[in-house]
Amino acid sequence: MNSKKNLSGIGMTSQRTRERLLGRLMDQGISSMEVLDVIRSTPRHIFLDEALSHRAYEDVALPIGHNQTISQPYVVARMTEAIIKSGPVDKVLEIGTGCGYQTSVMARLAKSVYTVERIRPLLDRAKKNLKLIGLRNIEFKFGDGSNGWEEKGPFDAIITTAAPQQIPESLLRQLNEGGRLVIPVGGDQQELHLITRQGDKFKSEVLEAVRFVPLLVGQLQH
Ligand code: SAH
Protein backbone atom coordinates (compact mmCIF):
# COMPACT_ATOMS: atom_id res chain seq x y z
CA MET A 1 0.00 0.00 0.00
CA ASN A 2 2.77 2.42 0.94
CA SER A 3 4.58 1.88 -2.34
CA LYS A 4 1.68 3.62 -4.07
CA LYS A 5 1.81 6.57 -1.73
CA ASN A 6 3.08 9.81 -3.10
CA LEU A 7 5.18 11.91 -0.73
CA SER A 8 4.47 15.26 -2.30
CA GLY A 9 0.75 14.69 -2.88
CA ILE A 10 -1.25 16.03 -5.79
CA GLY A 11 -4.53 17.92 -6.12
CA MET A 12 -6.24 17.79 -2.78
CA THR A 13 -2.96 17.70 -0.92
CA SER A 14 -1.72 20.81 -2.69
CA GLN A 15 0.36 23.50 -1.04
CA ARG A 16 -2.70 25.76 -0.81
CA THR A 17 -4.63 23.24 1.27
CA ARG A 18 -1.68 22.91 3.62
CA GLU A 19 -1.35 26.69 3.97
CA ARG A 20 -5.01 26.87 4.98
CA LEU A 21 -4.31 24.39 7.77
CA LEU A 22 -1.37 26.50 8.93
CA GLY A 23 -3.58 29.60 9.05
CA ARG A 24 -6.02 27.71 11.24
CA LEU A 25 -3.30 26.63 13.66
CA MET A 26 -2.03 30.20 13.97
CA ASP A 27 -5.59 31.48 14.53
CA GLN A 28 -5.87 29.01 17.40
CA GLY A 29 -2.72 30.37 19.04
CA ILE A 30 0.12 28.17 17.80
CA SER A 31 3.04 30.59 17.58
CA SER A 32 6.22 28.49 17.40
CA MET A 33 7.66 28.92 13.90
CA GLU A 34 9.61 25.70 14.32
CA VAL A 35 6.44 23.73 15.00
CA LEU A 36 4.49 25.45 12.22
CA ASP A 37 7.30 24.80 9.72
CA VAL A 38 7.43 21.12 10.57
CA ILE A 39 3.65 20.73 10.31
CA ARG A 40 3.68 22.60 7.00
CA SER A 41 6.23 20.21 5.51
CA THR A 42 4.84 16.97 6.96
CA PRO A 43 2.93 14.88 4.38
CA ARG A 44 -0.02 13.95 6.66
CA HIS A 45 -1.78 12.19 3.76
CA ILE A 46 0.67 9.30 3.82
CA PHE A 47 -0.49 8.36 7.33
CA LEU A 48 -4.06 7.79 6.14
CA ASP A 49 -5.76 5.15 4.05
CA GLU A 50 -6.30 6.09 0.41
CA ALA A 51 -10.04 6.62 0.99
CA LEU A 52 -9.43 9.31 3.63
CA SER A 53 -6.31 10.96 2.28
CA HIS A 54 -8.30 13.79 0.67
CA ARG A 55 -9.14 14.94 4.21
CA ALA A 56 -5.54 14.84 5.45
CA TYR A 57 -5.12 18.61 5.73
CA GLU A 58 -8.35 19.24 7.61
CA ASP A 59 -7.77 20.08 11.26
CA VAL A 60 -9.55 16.97 12.55
CA ALA A 61 -8.74 13.57 14.04
CA LEU A 62 -9.54 10.76 11.56
CA PRO A 63 -9.89 6.97 11.89
CA ILE A 64 -6.83 4.78 11.20
CA GLY A 65 -8.44 1.39 11.94
CA HIS A 66 -8.34 -0.77 15.10
CA ASN A 67 -10.66 1.80 16.74
CA GLN A 68 -7.83 4.34 16.85
CA THR A 69 -7.32 7.78 15.29
CA ILE A 70 -4.66 10.02 13.81
CA SER A 71 -4.39 13.06 16.09
CA GLN A 72 -5.79 16.44 15.11
CA PRO A 73 -2.99 18.69 13.76
CA TYR A 74 -3.84 21.45 16.27
CA VAL A 75 -3.40 19.04 19.19
CA VAL A 76 -0.11 17.71 17.79
CA ALA A 77 1.10 21.30 17.38
CA ARG A 78 0.00 22.26 20.92
CA MET A 79 1.67 19.25 22.55
CA THR A 80 4.87 19.68 20.55
CA GLU A 81 5.00 23.40 21.32
CA ALA A 82 4.59 22.70 25.06
CA ILE A 83 7.57 20.38 24.88
CA ILE A 84 10.01 22.55 22.96
CA LYS A 85 9.06 25.96 24.35
CA SER A 86 11.92 26.20 26.83
CA GLY A 87 14.60 25.05 24.42
CA PRO A 88 15.85 22.10 22.39
CA VAL A 89 15.18 18.54 23.54
CA ASP A 90 17.43 15.53 23.01
CA LYS A 91 15.49 12.44 24.00
CA VAL A 92 11.73 12.17 23.73
CA LEU A 93 9.49 9.24 24.62
CA GLU A 94 6.08 8.90 22.95
CA ILE A 95 3.39 6.56 24.28
CA GLY A 96 0.89 5.59 21.56
CA THR A 97 2.61 5.61 18.16
CA GLY A 98 -0.62 5.03 16.22
CA CYS A 99 0.12 5.76 12.56
CA GLY A 100 3.23 7.77 13.49
CA TYR A 101 2.10 11.33 12.70
CA GLN A 102 3.02 12.90 16.06
CA THR A 103 6.19 10.77 16.03
CA SER A 104 7.24 12.30 12.70
CA VAL A 105 6.66 15.87 13.91
CA MET A 106 8.62 15.24 17.12
CA ALA A 107 11.45 13.42 15.33
CA ARG A 108 12.20 16.56 13.32
CA LEU A 109 12.55 18.65 16.46
CA ALA A 110 14.38 16.28 18.82
CA LYS A 111 17.63 14.34 18.55
CA SER A 112 15.95 10.98 19.11
CA VAL A 113 12.44 9.72 19.64
CA TYR A 114 11.46 6.45 21.36
CA THR A 115 7.90 5.35 20.69
CA VAL A 116 5.74 2.57 22.15
CA GLU A 117 2.52 1.09 20.68
CA ARG A 118 0.35 -1.79 21.90
CA ILE A 119 -1.30 -2.68 18.55
CA ARG A 120 1.22 -4.50 16.34
CA PRO A 121 -0.28 -3.71 12.88
CA LEU A 122 -0.34 0.01 13.72
CA LEU A 123 3.28 -0.09 14.86
CA ASP A 124 4.28 -1.86 11.63
CA ARG A 125 2.41 0.70 9.55
CA ALA A 126 4.04 3.58 11.47
CA LYS A 127 7.50 2.09 10.82
CA LYS A 128 6.77 2.01 7.07
CA ASN A 129 5.38 5.56 7.04
CA LEU A 130 8.35 7.00 8.91
CA LYS A 131 10.82 5.15 6.71
CA LEU A 132 9.07 6.59 3.65
CA ILE A 133 9.55 10.10 5.06
CA GLY A 134 13.21 9.25 5.65
CA LEU A 135 13.32 9.71 9.42
CA ARG A 136 15.98 7.56 11.07
CA ASN A 137 16.21 8.91 14.62
CA ILE A 138 13.29 6.82 15.92
CA GLU A 139 13.27 3.59 17.94
CA PHE A 140 10.08 1.56 18.13
CA LYS A 141 8.75 -0.81 20.76
CA PHE A 142 5.73 -3.09 20.70
CA GLY A 143 4.15 -3.23 24.14
CA ASP A 144 2.31 -1.49 26.93
CA GLY A 145 3.66 2.02 27.25
CA SER A 146 2.01 2.81 30.56
CA ASN A 147 5.29 1.85 32.22
CA GLY A 148 7.33 4.02 29.89
CA TRP A 149 10.56 2.61 28.45
CA GLU A 150 12.88 2.36 31.43
CA GLU A 151 16.01 1.07 29.65
CA LYS A 152 16.07 4.05 27.28
CA GLY A 153 15.31 6.74 29.88
CA PRO A 154 15.52 9.21 31.45
CA PHE A 155 13.91 11.48 28.86
CA ASP A 156 13.86 15.25 28.34
CA ALA A 157 10.21 14.95 27.40
CA ILE A 158 7.42 12.39 27.31
CA ILE A 159 4.31 12.75 25.11
CA THR A 160 1.36 10.49 25.79
CA THR A 161 -1.20 10.35 22.99
CA ALA A 162 -3.77 8.19 24.80
CA ALA A 163 -5.49 9.17 28.06
CA PRO A 164 -5.06 7.35 31.40
CA GLN A 165 -7.42 8.01 34.32
CA GLN A 166 -4.39 8.97 36.40
CA ILE A 167 -0.82 9.91 35.52
CA PRO A 168 1.34 6.74 35.69
CA GLU A 169 4.12 7.10 38.33
CA SER A 170 6.64 5.38 36.08
CA LEU A 171 6.37 8.14 33.47
CA LEU A 172 7.17 10.78 36.09
CA ARG A 173 10.17 8.76 37.27
CA GLN A 174 11.57 8.55 33.74
CA LEU A 175 11.76 12.35 33.32
CA ASN A 176 15.11 14.14 33.47
CA GLU A 177 15.58 17.15 35.75
CA GLY A 178 13.60 19.93 34.05
CA GLY A 179 11.93 17.31 31.84
CA ARG A 180 8.36 17.72 30.64
CA LEU A 181 5.46 15.32 30.40
CA VAL A 182 2.48 16.24 28.20
CA ILE A 183 -0.44 13.94 28.88
CA PRO A 184 -4.23 13.88 28.50
CA VAL A 185 -5.90 12.69 31.71
CA GLY A 186 -9.47 11.54 32.35
CA GLY A 187 -12.36 9.58 30.88
CA ASP A 188 -15.29 11.33 29.18
CA GLN A 189 -13.91 14.67 30.32
CA GLN A 190 -10.19 14.95 29.65
CA GLU A 191 -7.66 17.67 30.31
CA LEU A 192 -4.23 18.06 28.78
CA HIS A 193 -1.62 18.33 31.54
CA LEU A 194 1.91 19.69 31.29
CA ILE A 195 4.10 18.40 34.12
CA THR A 196 7.61 19.74 34.67
CA ARG A 197 10.11 17.94 36.88
CA GLN A 198 11.91 20.10 39.45
CA GLY A 199 14.07 17.77 41.54
CA ASP A 200 11.68 15.48 43.37
CA LYS A 201 8.79 17.85 42.75
CA PHE A 202 6.47 17.97 39.77
CA LYS A 203 4.95 21.27 38.69
CA SER A 204 1.59 20.74 37.02
CA GLU A 205 -0.30 22.97 34.60
CA VAL A 206 -3.58 22.26 32.83
CA LEU A 207 -3.42 23.37 29.20
CA GLU A 208 -6.93 22.72 27.88
CA ALA A 209 -9.78 20.27 27.39
CA VAL A 210 -9.01 17.48 24.89
CA ARG A 211 -10.40 14.19 23.63
CA PHE A 212 -8.06 11.21 23.16
CA VAL A 213 -8.58 7.45 22.98
CA PRO A 214 -8.04 5.75 26.37
CA LEU A 215 -4.61 4.51 27.47
CA LEU A 216 -5.20 0.78 27.79
CA VAL A 217 -3.23 -1.68 29.84
CA GLY A 218 -1.41 -4.63 28.28
CA GLN A 219 -0.41 -5.37 24.71
CA LEU A 220 -2.48 -7.05 22.01
CA GLN A 221 -1.13 -10.27 20.54
CA HIS A 222 -1.29 -10.18 16.75
N1 SAH B 1 0.25 9.53 18.08
C1 SAH B 1 -0.81 9.22 17.14
C2 SAH B 1 -2.15 9.08 17.81
C3 SAH B 1 -2.37 7.70 18.19
S1 SAH B 1 -3.92 7.33 18.93
C4 SAH B 1 -0.89 10.27 16.04
O1 SAH B 1 0.00 11.09 15.94
O2 SAH B 1 -1.81 10.26 15.25
C5 SAH B 1 -3.33 6.62 20.43
C6 SAH B 1 -2.57 5.33 20.30
O3 SAH B 1 -2.24 4.93 21.63
C7 SAH B 1 -3.35 4.17 19.69
O4 SAH B 1 -2.67 3.69 18.57
C8 SAH B 1 -3.41 3.14 20.81
O5 SAH B 1 -3.30 1.80 20.37
C9 SAH B 1 -2.20 3.53 21.65
N2 SAH B 1 -2.24 3.06 23.04
C10 SAH B 1 -3.28 3.01 23.91
N3 SAH B 1 -2.88 2.52 25.09
C11 SAH B 1 -1.55 2.24 24.97
C12 SAH B 1 -0.58 1.69 25.86
N4 SAH B 1 -0.87 1.34 27.11
N5 SAH B 1 0.69 1.53 25.40
C13 SAH B 1 1.02 1.89 24.13
N6 SAH B 1 0.14 2.41 23.25
C14 SAH B 1 -1.13 2.59 23.66
Short mmCIF file of all heavy atoms in Angstrom, two decimals, residues 61-89:
data_model
loop_
_atom_site.label_atom_id
_atom_site.label_comp_id
_atom_site.label_asym_id
_atom_site.label_seq_id
_atom_site.Cartn_x
_atom_site.Cartn_y
_atom_site.Cartn_z
N ALA A 61 -9.23 14.94 13.84
CA ALA A 61 -8.74 13.57 14.04
C ALA A 61 -9.51 12.68 13.05
O ALA A 61 -10.67 12.96 12.74
CB ALA A 61 -9.00 13.14 15.47
N LEU A 62 -8.88 11.65 12.53
CA LEU A 62 -9.54 10.76 11.56
C LEU A 62 -9.23 9.31 11.91
O LEU A 62 -8.18 9.03 12.52
CB LEU A 62 -9.02 11.06 10.14
CG LEU A 62 -9.40 12.42 9.55
CD1 LEU A 62 -8.53 12.77 8.35
CD2 LEU A 62 -10.89 12.44 9.16
N PRO A 63 -10.13 8.38 11.54
CA PRO A 63 -9.89 6.97 11.89
C PRO A 63 -8.71 6.35 11.14
O PRO A 63 -8.49 6.65 9.96
CB PRO A 63 -11.21 6.27 11.50
CG PRO A 63 -11.92 7.21 10.60
CD PRO A 63 -11.43 8.60 10.89
N ILE A 64 -7.96 5.49 11.84
CA ILE A 64 -6.83 4.78 11.20
C ILE A 64 -6.99 3.26 11.35
O ILE A 64 -6.05 2.51 11.16
CB ILE A 64 -5.46 5.23 11.78
CG1 ILE A 64 -5.43 5.09 13.32
CG2 ILE A 64 -5.13 6.66 11.36
CD1 ILE A 64 -4.04 5.26 13.95
N GLY A 65 -8.21 2.82 11.73
CA GLY A 65 -8.44 1.39 11.94
C GLY A 65 -8.16 1.00 13.38
O GLY A 65 -7.63 1.81 14.16
N HIS A 66 -8.54 -0.24 13.74
CA HIS A 66 -8.34 -0.77 15.10
C HIS A 66 -8.94 0.15 16.17
O HIS A 66 -8.41 0.22 17.29
CB HIS A 66 -6.84 -0.99 15.38
CG HIS A 66 -6.16 -1.84 14.35
ND1 HIS A 66 -6.12 -3.20 14.44
CD2 HIS A 66 -5.55 -1.50 13.19
CE1 HIS A 66 -5.49 -3.68 13.38
NE2 HIS A 66 -5.13 -2.67 12.61
N ASN A 67 -10.00 0.88 15.81
CA ASN A 67 -10.66 1.80 16.74
C ASN A 67 -9.78 2.94 17.20
O ASN A 67 -10.00 3.50 18.28
CB ASN A 67 -11.13 1.06 18.00
CG ASN A 67 -12.47 0.41 17.75
OD1 ASN A 67 -13.27 0.96 16.99
ND2 ASN A 67 -12.69 -0.75 18.35
N GLN A 68 -8.76 3.27 16.45
CA GLN A 68 -7.83 4.34 16.85
C GLN A 68 -7.91 5.48 15.84
O GLN A 68 -8.55 5.35 14.80
CB GLN A 68 -6.41 3.80 16.96
CG GLN A 68 -6.27 2.59 17.87
CD GLN A 68 -6.77 2.84 19.29
OE1 GLN A 68 -6.60 3.95 19.82
NE2 GLN A 68 -7.39 1.85 19.89
N THR A 69 -7.26 6.60 16.17
CA THR A 69 -7.32 7.78 15.29
C THR A 69 -5.95 8.40 15.08
O THR A 69 -5.04 8.19 15.89
CB THR A 69 -8.22 8.88 15.92
OG1 THR A 69 -7.76 9.14 17.25
CG2 THR A 69 -9.68 8.48 15.96
N ILE A 70 -5.83 9.15 14.00
CA ILE A 70 -4.66 10.02 13.81
C ILE A 70 -5.03 11.31 14.54
O ILE A 70 -6.16 11.79 14.45
CB ILE A 70 -4.37 10.28 12.31
CG1 ILE A 70 -3.10 11.15 12.14
CG2 ILE A 70 -5.54 10.94 11.59
CD1 ILE A 70 -2.64 11.26 10.67
N SER A 71 -4.09 11.86 15.29
CA SER A 71 -4.39 13.06 16.09
C SER A 71 -4.69 14.26 15.20
O SER A 71 -4.19 14.38 14.08
CB SER A 71 -3.21 13.39 17.00
OG SER A 71 -3.02 12.39 17.95
N GLN A 72 -5.47 15.17 15.78
CA GLN A 72 -5.79 16.44 15.11
C GLN A 72 -4.52 17.29 15.03
O GLN A 72 -3.80 17.41 16.04
CB GLN A 72 -6.85 17.14 15.98
CG GLN A 72 -7.31 18.47 15.46
CD GLN A 72 -8.17 19.20 16.50
OE1 GLN A 72 -8.54 18.63 17.54
NE2 GLN A 72 -8.47 20.44 16.23
N PRO A 73 -4.21 17.89 13.89
CA PRO A 73 -2.99 18.69 13.76
C PRO A 73 -2.84 19.75 14.85
O PRO A 73 -1.74 19.94 15.39
CB PRO A 73 -3.12 19.33 12.37
CG PRO A 73 -3.92 18.33 11.60
CD PRO A 73 -4.90 17.75 12.58
N TYR A 74 -3.94 20.43 15.22
CA TYR A 74 -3.84 21.45 16.27
C TYR A 74 -3.31 20.84 17.58
O TYR A 74 -2.45 21.44 18.23
CB TYR A 74 -5.21 22.12 16.52
CG TYR A 74 -5.21 22.91 17.80
CD1 TYR A 74 -4.50 24.10 17.90
CD2 TYR A 74 -5.85 22.42 18.95
CE1 TYR A 74 -4.44 24.81 19.09
CE2 TYR A 74 -5.80 23.12 20.15
CZ TYR A 74 -5.09 24.31 20.21
OH TYR A 74 -5.02 24.99 21.41
N VAL A 75 -3.81 19.66 17.93
CA VAL A 75 -3.40 19.04 19.19
C VAL A 75 -1.93 18.61 19.13
O VAL A 75 -1.17 18.77 20.09
CB VAL A 75 -4.34 17.85 19.54
CG1 VAL A 75 -3.85 17.11 20.75
CG2 VAL A 75 -5.76 18.36 19.78
N VAL A 76 -1.52 18.09 17.98
CA VAL A 76 -0.11 17.71 17.79
C VAL A 76 0.77 18.96 17.93
O VAL A 76 1.80 18.94 18.62
CB VAL A 76 0.09 17.04 16.40
CG1 VAL A 76 1.58 16.89 16.07
CG2 VAL A 76 -0.61 15.69 16.37
N ALA A 77 0.33 20.06 17.32
CA ALA A 77 1.10 21.30 17.38
C ALA A 77 1.18 21.81 18.82
O ALA A 77 2.26 22.19 19.31
CB ALA A 77 0.45 22.36 16.50
N ARG A 78 0.07 21.76 19.53
CA ARG A 78 0.00 22.26 20.92
C ARG A 78 0.91 21.45 21.83
O ARG A 78 1.63 21.99 22.65
CB ARG A 78 -1.46 22.14 21.37
CG ARG A 78 -1.75 22.74 22.70
CD ARG A 78 -2.00 24.24 22.56
NE ARG A 78 -2.54 24.78 23.80
CZ ARG A 78 -1.80 25.37 24.73
NH1 ARG A 78 -0.51 25.53 24.55
NH2 ARG A 78 -2.36 25.84 25.83
N MET A 79 0.87 20.12 21.69
CA MET A 79 1.67 19.25 22.55
C MET A 79 3.15 19.43 22.25
O MET A 79 4.00 19.49 23.14
CB MET A 79 1.25 17.79 22.37
CG MET A 79 -0.13 17.50 22.96
SD MET A 79 -0.73 15.85 22.58
CE MET A 79 -0.13 14.91 23.97
N THR A 80 3.47 19.55 20.96
CA THR A 80 4.87 19.68 20.55
C THR A 80 5.41 21.03 21.04
O THR A 80 6.53 21.11 21.55
CB THR A 80 4.99 19.57 19.02
OG1 THR A 80 4.28 18.41 18.60
CG2 THR A 80 6.44 19.47 18.59
N GLU A 81 4.59 22.06 20.89
CA GLU A 81 5.00 23.40 21.32
C GLU A 81 5.28 23.41 22.83
O GLU A 81 6.27 23.99 23.29
CB GLU A 81 3.88 24.39 20.98
CG GLU A 81 4.29 25.82 21.03
CD GLU A 81 3.21 26.75 20.46
OE1 GLU A 81 2.10 26.82 21.04
OE2 GLU A 81 3.47 27.38 19.43
N ALA A 82 4.41 22.75 23.60
CA ALA A 82 4.59 22.70 25.06
C ALA A 82 5.92 22.05 25.41
O ALA A 82 6.57 22.41 26.39
CB ALA A 82 3.44 21.93 25.70
N ILE A 83 6.34 21.09 24.59
CA ILE A 83 7.57 20.38 24.88
C ILE A 83 8.82 21.17 24.51
O ILE A 83 9.80 21.18 25.24
CB ILE A 83 7.53 19.01 24.18
CG1 ILE A 83 6.76 18.07 25.10
CG2 ILE A 83 8.92 18.47 23.87
CD1 ILE A 83 6.65 16.69 24.64
N ILE A 84 8.77 21.88 23.40
CA ILE A 84 10.01 22.55 22.96
C ILE A 84 10.10 24.02 23.41
O ILE A 84 11.08 24.69 23.11
CB ILE A 84 10.22 22.46 21.43
CG1 ILE A 84 9.15 23.23 20.67
CG2 ILE A 84 10.29 21.00 20.97
CD1 ILE A 84 9.58 23.53 19.23
N LYS A 85 9.08 24.51 24.12
CA LYS A 85 9.06 25.96 24.35
C LYS A 85 10.21 26.50 25.20
O LYS A 85 10.56 27.66 25.08
CB LYS A 85 7.69 26.44 24.85
CG LYS A 85 7.36 26.19 26.28
CD LYS A 85 6.00 26.82 26.60
CE LYS A 85 5.50 26.32 27.94
NZ LYS A 85 4.07 26.53 28.12
N SER A 86 10.80 25.63 26.05
CA SER A 86 11.92 26.20 26.83
C SER A 86 13.27 25.75 26.29
O SER A 86 14.25 25.72 27.01
CB SER A 86 11.75 25.86 28.30
OG SER A 86 11.83 24.47 28.44
N GLY A 87 13.32 25.37 25.04
CA GLY A 87 14.60 25.05 24.42
C GLY A 87 14.63 23.67 23.79
O GLY A 87 13.65 22.93 23.87
N PRO A 88 15.76 23.35 23.14
CA PRO A 88 15.85 22.10 22.39
C PRO A 88 15.78 20.87 23.30
O PRO A 88 16.20 20.92 24.45
CB PRO A 88 17.22 22.17 21.71
CG PRO A 88 17.85 23.43 22.12
CD PRO A 88 16.98 24.13 23.11
N VAL A 89 15.25 19.79 22.78
CA VAL A 89 15.18 18.54 23.54
C VAL A 89 15.97 17.44 22.80
O VAL A 89 15.94 17.36 21.59
CB VAL A 89 13.73 18.06 23.77
CG1 VAL A 89 13.09 18.81 24.92
CG2 VAL A 89 12.88 18.17 22.52
#
